[in-house]
């Protein structure tokens, strides 16, 4: 150590610290190394612990999908019809509308004409989206083509 | 190699804590029991109450009720286990990761309770899964649940990781899963797991009671 300071005496100003951290991205590298080492180290420790003390206990039910205790009915990667997501989006129109309508209704009597107009514009935008979806025929549910259902297990 | 308890106590009095790996691990396991989040009947109301501010189960490290058995250590069977529900309870127990512990809370989970003579209630969950702590009561108060939890913590702290008297989860020969019963025509099949449930047979003398 070059710069050991006596008590009460300020250490001499050197630029040694700057020279040690020669590359500006070195701290990022160290950060990534630590971020890798901590989880990998704990995983390795867990593996060592397993070898020494805790035997693996595998089983068919244990490795099965979790469906709240009942036997899984279908494969976990089941597919949803894409129209489901459209319905979800359209539901958001009403959902968001409710969230904003409640404070609007509560403050209705104290609103200035300008605020009232803005709120109406907001409602109009949402209603417009709904009308657009309606005109496109998105509100009629099309029954998806029958796909074979994969039953899990044997 | 265990430390002499007298020596450990003397060292502790002078501010030096001595421990073993086993004690350290058991301490960690007992201090963060994560229960599986499910309730079967009215006992679950008391269980919920025990986790809330008044009784505050969080003081014992057991407030994080997990909605998935993969993250849970402790199964609190809180309430009446019907014969329709028993396969699901056993399947959930099987899906929990080791080490796992079971508390049977209330008269129904222990023995069927007031429904013991009924046709559709399981007469004790210990017929299918190994129970560590039983809490009597109908339903037990939250304090009783906390007492049961502390009893379980003491049990975990005394667990052996090696040797012949080691805990179930440290024993490679112990079964990994409990067989799941099925709903038969008249009763669940089988009626009990004979591997873990063997009540003493009452022997009566021939012609004694006439």
């Amino acid at each position: 150590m070059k710069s050991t300071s006596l008590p009460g005496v300020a250490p001499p100003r050197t630029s040694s610290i700057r020279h040690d951290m020669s590359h500006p991205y070195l701290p990022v590298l160290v950060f990534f190394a630590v971020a890798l080492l901590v989880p990998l180290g704990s995983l390795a420790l867990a593996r060592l612990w397993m070898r020494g003390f805790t035997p693996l206990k595998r089983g068919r039910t244990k490795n099965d999908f979790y469906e709240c205790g009942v036997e899984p009915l279908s494969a976990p990667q089941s597919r949803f019809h894409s129209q489901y997501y459209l319905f979800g989006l359209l539901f958001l129109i009403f959902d968001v509308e409710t969230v904003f309508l409640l404070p609007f209704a509560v403050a209705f009597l104290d609103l200035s004409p300008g605020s009232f107009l803005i709120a109406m514009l907001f409602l109009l935008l949402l209603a417009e989206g709904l009308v657009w979806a309606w005109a496109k025929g998105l509100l009629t549910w099309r029954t998806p083509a029958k796909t074979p259902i994969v039953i899990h297990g044997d | 190699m265990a430390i002499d308890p007298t020596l450990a106590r003397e060292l502790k009095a002078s501010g030096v804590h001595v421990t073993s790996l086993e004690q350290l691990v058991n301490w960690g396991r007992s201090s963060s029991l994560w229960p599986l989040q499910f309730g079967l009947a009215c006992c679950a109301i008391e269980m919920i109450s025990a986790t809330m501010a008044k009784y505050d189960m969080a003081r014992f490290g057991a407030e994080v009720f997990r909605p998935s058995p993969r993250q849970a250590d402790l199964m609190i069977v809180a309430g009446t286990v019907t014969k329709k529900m028993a396969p699901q309870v056993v399947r959930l127990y099987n899906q929990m990761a080791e080490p796992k512990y079971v508390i049977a809370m209330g008269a129904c989970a222990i023995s069927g309770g007031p429904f013991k003579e009924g046709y559709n209630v399981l007469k004790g969950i210990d017929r299918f899964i190994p129970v560590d702590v039983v809490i009597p009561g109908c339903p037990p108060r939250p304090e009783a649940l906390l007492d049961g939890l502390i009893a379980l913590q003491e049990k975990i702290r005394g667990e052996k990781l090696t040797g012949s008297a080691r805990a179930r989860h440290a024993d490679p020969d112990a079964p990994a899963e409990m067989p799941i019963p099925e709903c038969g025509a008249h009763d669940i099949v089988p009626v009990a797991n004979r591997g873990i449930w063997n009540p003493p047979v009452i022997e009566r003398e021939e012609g004694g009671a006439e």
Side-chain angles (χ1 to χ4, degrees):
Chain A
M1 288 292 278
K2 202 166 63 177
S3 60
T4 42
S5 60
L6 293 167
V9 179
R13 279 170 164 257
T14 54
S15 57
S16 65
I17 294 166
R18 272 195 65 86
H19 283 301
D20 288 344
M21 295 284 199
S22 52
H23 200 278
Y25 281 106
L26 192 64
V28 181
L29 194 72
V30 172
F31 181 80
F32 269 109
V34 172
L36 263 180
L37 273 178
V38 169
L40 286 183
S42 42
L43 281 176
L45 265 179
R47 182 50 70 116
L48 267 178
W49 180 262
M50 187 199 84
R51 291 243 169 118
F53 299 102
T54 316
L56 268 186
K57 288 197 181 291
R58 286 202 175 106
R60 206 188 74 85
T61 334
K62 194 181 205 173
N63 295 346
D64 221 341
F65 319 122
Y66 167 59
E67 268 190 23
C68 302
V70 295
E71 209 162 351
L73 291 173
S74 57
Q77 284 94 7
S78 60
R79 288 187 288 179
F80 288 93
H81 197 253
S82 61
Q83 210 184 350
Y84 169 80
Y85 297 101
L86 275 175
F87 262 70
L89 271 177
L90 290 177
F91 165 72
L92 265 183
I93 294 178
F94 297 100
D95 207 32
V96 173
E97 203 171 347
T98 320
V99 168
F100 285 101
L101 268 185
L102 190 68
F104 173 64
V106 168
F108 185 72
L109 292 178
D110 305 325
L111 283 183
S112 63
S115 322
F116 176 77
L117 276 179
I118 289 172
M120 283 298 126
L121 186 70
F122 170 69
L123 286 184
L124 181 75
L125 282 175
L126 288 181
E128 195 188 347
L130 185 64
V131 168
W132 177 82
W134 199 352
K136 280 273 193 179
L138 297 176
L139 293 187
T140 42
W141 182 265
R142 289 182 198 83
T143 321
K146 286 278 175 229
T147 46
I149 299 167
V150 185
I151 302 290
H152 166 73
D154 33 29
Chain B
M1 190 173 66
I3 304 153
D4 180 32
T6 331
L7 178 67
R9 218 173 307 125
E10 280 173 16
L11 281 169
K12 193 174 182 180
S14 56
V16 181
H17 284 264
V18 188
T19 185
S20 66
L21 187 62
E22 190 176 83
Q23 280 174 352
L24 200 66
V25 166
N26 286 341
W27 170 73
R29 279 181 178 163
S30 65
S31 306
S32 65
L33 283 168
W34 288 9
L36 184 60
Q37 187 177 22
F38 80 109
L40 298 174
C42 27
C43 280
I45 305 296
E46 302 293 315
M47 181 177 74
I48 295 161
S49 180
T51 61
M52 292 294 128
K54 188 168 181 184
Y55 298 101
D56 200 11
M57 211 164 157
R59 290 175 292 163
F60 307 99
E63 83 284 13
V64 215
F65 276 72
R66 306 314 294 182
S68 164
R70 316 291 187 200
Q71 306 160 351
D73 301 305
L74 170 63
M75 175 181 248
I76 302 176
V77 185
T80 318
V81 189
T82 56
K83 286 176 181 171
K84 192 177 181 182
M85 196 63 194
Q88 276 71 259
V89 174
V90 179
R91 187 172 285 111
L92 284 176
Y93 175 81
N94 284 346
Q95 290 186 336
M96 282 163 69
E98 299 278 356
K100 50 192 171 189
Y101 308 95
V102 178
I103 288 180
M105 181 184 180
C108 294
I110 296 172
S111 67
F115 314 108
K116 190 173 171 61
E117 304 295 326
Y119 63 95
N120 67 336
V121 170
L122 190 70
K123 293 163 183 63
I125 193 63
D126 59 335
R127 289 173 181 232
F128 288 108
I129 54 179
V131 173
D132 294 285
V133 174
V134 292
I135 306 172
C138 190
R141 287 189 54 87
E143 293 97 330
L145 178 59
L146 294 181
D147 190 45
L149 183 76
I150 294 166
L152 179 64
Q153 286 181 328
E154 275 163 14
K155 182 180 178 178
I156 295 172
R157 278 176 197 152
E159 264 181 359
K160 294 273 173 291
L161 296 177
T162 49
S164 56
R166 64 191 151 190
R168 186 191 50 79
H169 55 80
D171 186 3
D173 299 327
E177 290 190 346
M178 297 296 150
I180 299 168
E182 284 176 5
C183 290
H186 303 291
D187 203 350
I188 42 175
V189 185
V191 289
N193 178 5
R194 292 292 169 186
I196 59 165
W197 191 74
N198 282 305
V201 180
I202 302 166
E203 287 180 12
R204 293 191 177 88
E205 284 179 26
E206 282 293 320
E210 279 186 25

